[in-house]
Amino acid sequence: MAVDKTTFEAIVPSRFISLSFPTPNPNPNHSSPLLRIAVLDSPTLTLDPPLVAAMFVPQHRESDWIFSTESGHLHLLHSSPGISRLILLGNSPEKDHPSSTIYSKNNNNNNSMSMSMEVSFKPLLLALSPKSCFKHGNPHIPILSYEDGVICGMVLERFVGSIVGEMLVEDVEIEVENGAGNREFRRRLRFKRMPNLIQSEVRIFPKEGIDFNSIEIGEVEFSPDNNVLLQPYLSPMVASLSLIGKHIQDRIFSGFRPKALCLGVGGGALLSFLKTQLGFEVLGVEEDEQVLSVARKFFGLQYCPLLKIFVGDAMEFLEKISHPSGECNASSIDAEFDVIMVDLDSSDARSGVYAPPLEFGEKHVLMAAKSILSKNGILALNVIPQSNAFYETTKHEFQQVFSELYEIDVRNGENFVLIATTSPVMSSSTDTKNLFLSKLRNVISGAFMDSIKKI
């Protein structure tokens, strides 16, 4: 690809350019003789003079969607506030990259490579910087790093869904925070349209019961474990049930199972947890059948009379089930739930990751959701705000429809859980005589139950 020398002289919002050329100083240890450079300009107005930053792609992860796609590049830029142009440099991804290739951080000499590349490629980085950066001499171009705690990983399979597009399932070993030498392995589902977002994640264990110290990714078969919720916002969503602990306990004592509707299935960890750990009857709604196939094959999702799935759009489902007719399968569903749990995110990578989709805040959708909740039912919503204004608007929309609104700050700098109630909350989450609340505290952190705040 021929590039005019003036191409990079100005910031052009949302412009993305990727090119490859022979590596100036080829390293015999590198598999690729080509260097790939990808340049993305921020879609929004930024500082004047603009701030340019660079990132070196970790060796052996060149084909990872995080680094090889525009959507991955965009998420990296969004995670670095104030950056006007982000430049990625690394080996060119192999065209026929095998799915079974194992990435190992321990075999990755990326730190020393980054330091040498920073010196070698400083003139190139300056040449890729806009003219306005040079108002006060040569600009400082910070070198950003990417850390996701992955020690090693391997893609198991890749799929294409009719709705979500390309996706992959991967097994990873992650760094353990306590440093006690224990090892932890996880299985993840990611979509190409938002590759930096982990759609689903479960803990995995070797099938043969082999000692953890003697296993490696790619050498043994793993089985998923859905007894623990790993994604940071899922336990707070389950903690919302403490607000209606008395109602659920009364249903159980009356011989009925509490009922949950989960909008968004992914790998199915939340649905499996509600059924097996808390005794719920669960109905999930997922738009893409291929996602469900992946959930059953790799994440341990099992259909049964107590766990059923409806294939279709979540918001259309709410409308149909709240106004049943004989023309759709949803009409045969007993439409009264004790809790609706909503885990839906936007599909527009250009706007960054946010949840829920804007359409979910529309009054007719919220009214439909409220109409299928029991008298003491709740709706628990995972929220990733685009901005403070987005979050305030979301809260206001729910307050216009529901009786009370509560909040849990997940404290990961990203997620909040909003809990909307159909009736005023009367019971206490600290009721020691409530067997359901006792069970709830045993299977998730009680800290989330205690941190629920009324808005």
Side-chain angles (χ1 to χ4, degrees):
M1 172 182 177
V3 178
D4 187 274
K5 64 179 182 180
T6 64
T7 299
F8 299 101
E9 289 186 352
I11 298 289
V12 179
S14 297
R15 182 179 61 181
F16 176 72
I17 296 176
S18 174
L19 53 109
S20 299
F21 54 85
T23 304
N25 300 303
N27 186 329
N29 295 321
H30 293 182
S31 59
S32 173
L34 297 177
L35 178 73
R36 175 180 179 267
I37 296 175
V39 181
L40 177 65
D41 288 347
S42 173
T44 58
L45 295 176
T46 53
L47 302 173
D48 185 24
L51 178 58
V52 175
M55 182 181 293
F56 296 116
V57 177
Q59 290 186 57
H60 314 302
R61 293 189 71 176
E62 295 88 358
S63 295
D64 193 314
W65 291 333
I66 294 173
F67 306 104
S68 63
T69 66
E70 182 178 355
S71 55
H73 199 147
L74 181 61
H75 284 301
L76 294 174
L77 187 145
H78 277 308
S79 64
S80 306
I83 300 296
S84 308
R85 174 174 290 172
L86 179 60
I87 305 169
L88 295 188
L89 301 96
N91 293 329
S92 184
E94 299 176 36
K95 290 184 179 179
D96 300 318
H97 188 72
S99 295
S100 58
T101 297
I102 298 174
Y103 159 76
S104 177
K105 186 176 181 180
N106 295 332
N107 297 332
N108 182 4
N109 193 27
N110 199 56
N111 289 335
S112 59
M113 182 189 77
S114 294
M115 288 190 294
S116 63
M117 288 181 71
E118 184 174 352
V119 174
S120 301
F121 290 102
K122 185 175 181 179
L124 176 59
L125 295 177
L126 291 174
L128 295 172
S129 299
K131 275 187 173 181
S132 52
C133 286
F134 296 85
K135 290 181 179 179
H136 308 291
N138 285 347
H140 169 63
I141 301 177
I143 305 299
L144 308 180
S145 60
Y146 181 81
E147 285 293 336
D148 58 3
V150 174
I151 296 174
C152 65
M154 183 182 77
V155 174
L156 299 181
E157 282 194 45
R158 299 174 186 265
F159 304 88
V160 178
S162 60
I163 306 298
V164 304
E166 292 183 63
M167 64 183 114
L168 62 80
V169 177
E170 62 187 353
D171 284 351
V172 298
E173 180 181 355
I174 65 163
E175 296 173 346
V176 180
E177 291 184 3
N178 61 23
N182 298 324
R183 304 176 72 186
E184 185 165 326
F185 299 90
R186 297 181 177 183
R187 180 161 294 164
R188 292 173 169 175
L189 173 65
R190 287 196 285 134
F191 298 163
K192 186 176 183 179
R193 69 186 188 191
M194 288 188 173
N196 305 61
L197 178 66
I198 300 170
Q199 298 289 338
S200 293
E201 183 173 38
V202 297
R203 188 173 293 165
I204 52 176
F205 293 94
K207 280 189 175 181
E208 304 299 327
I210 305 171
D211 178 26
F212 265 36
N213 293 324
S214 63
I215 60 175
E216 299 295 340
I217 292 285
E219 294 181 357
V220 298
E221 266 195 275
F222 289 91
S223 296
D225 173 21
N226 283 310
N227 293 323
V228 178
L229 296 172
L230 293 181
Q231 289 175 277
Y233 62 90
L234 290 183
S235 287
M237 288 182 73
V238 173
S240 68
L241 296 170
S242 64
L243 290 177
I244 55 171
K246 183 179 184 306
H247 166 69
I248 293 177
Q249 182 68 55
D250 289 344
R251 278 188 61 80
I252 295 171
F253 278 178
S254 299
F256 298 97
R257 285 183 179 269
K259 292 181 61 178
L261 172 64
C262 296
L263 303 182
V265 173
L270 176 61
L271 287 73
S272 298
F273 186 88
L274 290 171
K275 180 180 77 75
T276 60
Q277 298 297 302
L278 295 173
F280 272 71
E281 180 181 341
V282 184
L283 174 65
V285 181
E286 173 59 53
E287 193 172 14
D288 197 315
E289 287 193 76
Q290 184 64 63
V291 171
L292 295 173
S293 176
V294 169
R296 296 179 71 179
K297 181 177 180 180
F298 292 97
F299 291 87
L301 180 66
Q302 297 180 345
Y303 299 174
C304 69
L306 295 178
L307 198 163
K308 299 178 181 178
I309 301 294
F310 182 88
V311 180
D313 178 82
M315 284 168 278
E316 289 181 5
F317 174 84
L318 286 178
E319 296 280 0
K320 290 175 180 178
I321 199 172
S322 62
H323 300 93
S325 69
E327 298 178 358
C328 76
N329 294 332
S331 63
S332 63
I333 295 170
D334 181 12
E336 185 173 292
F337 298 90
D338 300 296
V339 60
I340 299 174
M341 295 195 173
V342 184
D343 185 13
L344 302 171
D345 55 60
S346 165
S347 60
D348 184 5
R350 294 170 298 177
S351 301
V353 178
Y354 69 89
L358 296 176
E359 298 82 4
F360 195 84
E362 294 176 5
K363 188 173 182 178
H364 67 97
V365 175
L366 299 182
M367 290 294 292
K370 183 180 179 182
S371 72
I372 62 173
L373 284 168
S374 63
K375 181 181 177 181
N376 296 293
I378 60 171
L379 184 150
L381 174 77
N382 173 40
V383 183
I384 306 175
Q386 279 182 307
S387 61
N388 287 335
F390 175 94
Y391 192 37
E392 292 303 318
T393 299
T394 301
K395 289 189 285 188
H396 177 73
E397 289 167 342
F398 275 76
Q399 287 173 323
Q400 298 304 301
V401 173
F402 289 89
S403 175
E404 295 178 342
L405 193 62
Y406 294 79
E407 175 192 70
I408 301 176
D409 184 347
V410 179
R411 299 194 181 282
N412 63 346
E414 183 173 86
N415 300 79
F416 294 86
V417 173
L418 287 181
I419 310 159
T421 70
T422 54
S423 304
V425 172
M426 304 299 292
S427 62
S428 169
S429 64
T430 59
D431 183 358
T432 56
K433 296 181 181 179
N434 188 306
L435 296 180
F436 173 76
L437 290 176
S438 298
K439 178 186 285 189
L440 191 60
R441 284 187 179 273
N442 284 334
V443 296
I444 64 167
S445 171
F448 290 125
M449 297 166 63
D450 299 334
S451 66
I452 298 176
K453 180 181 69 175
K454 187 175 182 181
I455 298 176

